[in-house]
Amino acid sequence: MTPDNPLKAAYDHATRYINDVAQRHVGARAGRADLFAALGGPLPAGATDPAVVINHLALAADPGIVATIGPRYFGFVTGGSVPVTVAADWLVSSWDQNACLYVTSPAASVLEDIVSSWIVELLELPATAGVGFVTGCHMANFTCLAAARHEVLHRAGWNVETQGLQRAPRVRVFVGGEVHVSAVGALRYLGFGSDELEMVPVDDQGRMRADALRAQLGDASGPIIVCAQAGNVSTGASDPIAEIVAMAHARGAWVHVDGAFGLWAAAVPELRPQLRGIDTADSWATDAHKWLNVPYDSGLAIVADTAPLRAAMGMKASYLQRGNDEERIGMDWTPESSRRARVVPLYALFRALGRDGIEALVRRNCALARRIAERLAAETGVTILNEVVLNQVLVRFADDDTTRDTIARVQADGTCWAGGAFWQGQQAMRIAVSNWSTTEDDIDRSADAMLACYRASRATS
Ligand SMILES: Cc1ncc(COP(=O)(O)O)c(C=O)c1O
């Protein structure tokens, strides 16, 4: 056995998978029992040749692999992975760097500094802003909101890191009625129960209503956090950030923006007006594994002033060697210590696509979302429930039951994949166009497949 045998086997399987993904049945082709039968069995007592392990793994898992990196996967909000970022990710695993400290990986530390400044420049955020590289937007929400909690309590004379939360001044937290569940989860980890959150009504696109926030804030003062949203997970609509920030800052509040995918609209001149005032917020959570199309997992916690973030995250121990202040210590920026150097695929993406390529990717996906919405809306009985302002389309096929049945048929058909959700009381199919490789032909094939499923559903109902 040579050490590179399993690597060669993995390379062959991976490249074949990537090359063929556009032709695959998009959804999984096996159920749980089949996968257990193919992959399970007793705990191995002894050794197996590593290349055999990889070959078996690749073949046995294959029917349970969902072609989420393919061009016709429209589920949730899921990016694919630009091939150069997969290649860079292979280096991450091969180097196996720990991005915890400067000394554990000077390269990872410097790459984080470089990519951080590129992200801030691309999104036109304040030049003072800094980025923590976390697993996803859920953790980015947590990281940013930990900085928010630190700062609003610090302004009230309280150090939450040393004094805790139990006797702290009360922090009021305002969220839109369409807040993403991950922000609620993040707030829960930070000691703010979901019943304590002050919900602000939203409009028919899920945008927080500025007039309602104004009324709820009244003349409030003291520690306040307002969670706004750039890109609703169903409609893609963004809150009126400029108004929210103006009224929140007038009351000394911290404004956090959850922009898991919608924040990238800031990189596209004609979309940026949807995020007017985005640069005036205090923190932004986003994902790279969604619209930037890098492999999982890759989230970004961005803060305008890095001091509160580092106060909230930073920890010291005598053995955790620090160098000079210039050297970035990864664990000061994220809730983790040992951590994968997930910045590397991002670096490769920025180098390979450049500003223009990223801008074009976001713009193209939005145009394709409009195209599928138009194709579907032309059919009698099909309604688009949202204004298609970004990459999200909410489709209703006649009624709740027909919509559910159409979704099930689409998933079984395998030409494309889309999931469902309730939108303001109505069952809808959710289409999120977030993949770098999706073409107009993919959109047309997918629309044809969805309409065929809808017609079949009507014919049997
Ligand atoms: C607005 C918003 N926030 C947060 C998240 C959570 O992101 P992740 O699953 O990458 O942690 C999502 C996921 O779709 C989202 O749309």
Side-chain angles (χ1 to χ4, degrees):
M1 180 189 82
T2 59
D4 64 343
N5 274 347
L7 299 181
K8 282 210 176 75
Y11 173 85
D12 289 343
H13 286 292
T15 48
R16 199 174 313 127
Y17 179 78
I18 291 169
N19 289 336
D20 296 350
V21 72
Q23 276 74 53
R24 277 175 78 102
H25 182 283
V26 177
R29 286 163 292 120
R32 188 171 185 272
D34 300 327
L35 291 167
F36 259 103
L39 290 158
L43 170 69
T48 303
D49 179 278
V52 171
V53 172
I54 295 299
N55 285 330
H56 167 254
L57 175 61
L59 296 176
D62 188 78
I65 300 293
V66 181
T68 53
I69 66 158
R72 293 184 304 285
Y73 185 82
F74 305 114
F76 310 96
V77 186
T78 305
S81 29
V82 178
V84 71
T85 69
V86 179
D89 206 56
W90 289 348
L91 291 180
V92 176
S93 293
S94 309
W95 291 334
D96 197 19
Q97 297 292 277
N98 186 346
C100 175
L101 300 169
Y102 178 86
V103 72
T104 54
S105 182
S109 170
V110 167
L111 285 168
E112 287 193 353
D113 274 339
I114 293 168
V115 174
S116 170
S117 71
W118 287 349
I119 289 167
V120 168
E121 188 184 334
L122 177 73
L123 295 174
E124 294 181 38
L125 299 178
T128 54
V131 182
F133 294 83
V134 294
T135 50
C137 195
H138 193 153
M139 263 307 119
N141 277 328
F142 170 79
T143 308
C144 292
L145 289 165
R149 184 184 68 166
H150 167 90
E151 182 60 19
V152 297
L153 284 171
H154 172 73
R155 289 178 198 160
W158 191 264
N159 183 331
V160 70
E161 281 73 42
T162 57
Q163 297 175 277
L165 203 58
Q166 305 207 43
R167 287 168 296 111
R170 179 168 170 243
V171 180
R172 296 182 65 186
V173 182
F174 293 84
V175 299
E178 270 289 325
V179 61
H180 192 268
V181 65
S182 69
V184 178
L187 286 160
R188 223 164 59 189
Y189 313 153
L190 289 162
F192 305 118
S194 48
D195 287 350
E196 293 182 297
L197 307 181
E198 301 187 41
M199 289 274 180
V200 182
V202 294
D203 68 12
D204 63 347
Q205 299 301 305
R207 289 179 287 242
M208 189 192 288
R209 278 178 33 211
D211 61 325
L213 178 64
R214 184 172 296 109
Q216 280 178 241
L217 278 172
D219 58 1
S221 59
I224 301 171
I225 299 171
V226 179
C227 281
Q229 198 165 240
N232 175 282
V233 71
S234 295
T235 65
S238 294
D239 291 345
I241 309 281
E243 283 123 292
I244 291 171
V245 173
M247 66 182 96
H249 280 179
R251 293 162 179 81
W254 176 293
V255 179
H256 169 67
V257 180
D258 176 355
F261 60 97
L263 191 62
W264 300 100
V268 183
E270 69 272 21
L271 300 176
R272 193 172 169 93
Q274 293 182 31
L275 306 184
R276 198 172 61 80
I278 191 70
D279 53 323
T280 60
D282 300 290
S283 58
W284 307 264
T286 190
D287 267 319
H289 58 222
K290 289 189 170 68
W291 226 345
L292 286 197
N293 280 256
V294 306
Y296 288 106
D297 42 30
S298 193
L300 305 166
I302 314 175
V303 283
D305 175 6
T306 63
L309 175 64
R310 291 198 274 171
M313 297 292 132
M315 266 171 271
K316 292 194 172 131
S318 60
Y319 79 100
L320 295 172
Q321 186 183 324
R322 284 171 181 261
N324 65 49
D325 286 346
E326 276 193 330
E327 293 168 358
R328 180 187 178 100
I329 303 293
M331 64 179 288
D332 288 351
W333 298 80
T334 70
E336 290 166 314
S337 301
S338 295
R339 192 166 48 91
R340 180 177 178 76
R342 61 175 64 87
V343 68
V344 174
L346 266 167
Y347 177 83
L349 180 89
F350 276 85
R351 277 252 178 255
L353 265 62
R355 177 201 293 273
D356 293 349
I358 294 172
E359 191 181 310
L361 162 58
V362 173
R363 178 181 293 124
R364 191 167 64 242
N365 282 169
C366 293
L368 293 172
R370 290 194 297 275
R371 184 180 180 97
I372 199 162
E374 279 162 22
R375 285 287 322 271
L376 296 173
E379 178 85 3
T380 306
V382 178
T383 319
I384 305 301
L385 298 180
N386 66 317
E387 293 163 16
V388 183
V389 291
L390 279 185
N391 60 337
Q392 303 294 120
V393 185
L394 285 177
V395 197
R396 182 165 169 83
F397 296 94
D399 52 38
D400 283 358
D401 284 345
T402 311
T403 305
R404 267 192 293 270
D405 187 54
T406 303
I407 294 168
R409 288 171 188 266
V410 166
Q411 293 181 359
D413 167 73
T415 305
C416 62
W417 201 99
F422 263 91
W423 176 252
Q424 299 190 341
Q426 300 190 86
Q427 178 68 52
M429 176 196 270
R430 299 180 64 261
I431 301 174
V433 187
S434 324
N435 190 291
W436 68 280
S437 64
T438 307
T439 62
E440 289 187 349
D441 181 55
D442 289 311
I443 291 296
D444 293 345
R445 278 178 64 189
S446 302
D448 289 344
M450 288 171 180
L451 291 173
C453 291
Y454 167 56
R455 288 173 200 138
S457 179
R458 292 222 91 169
T460 55
S461 64

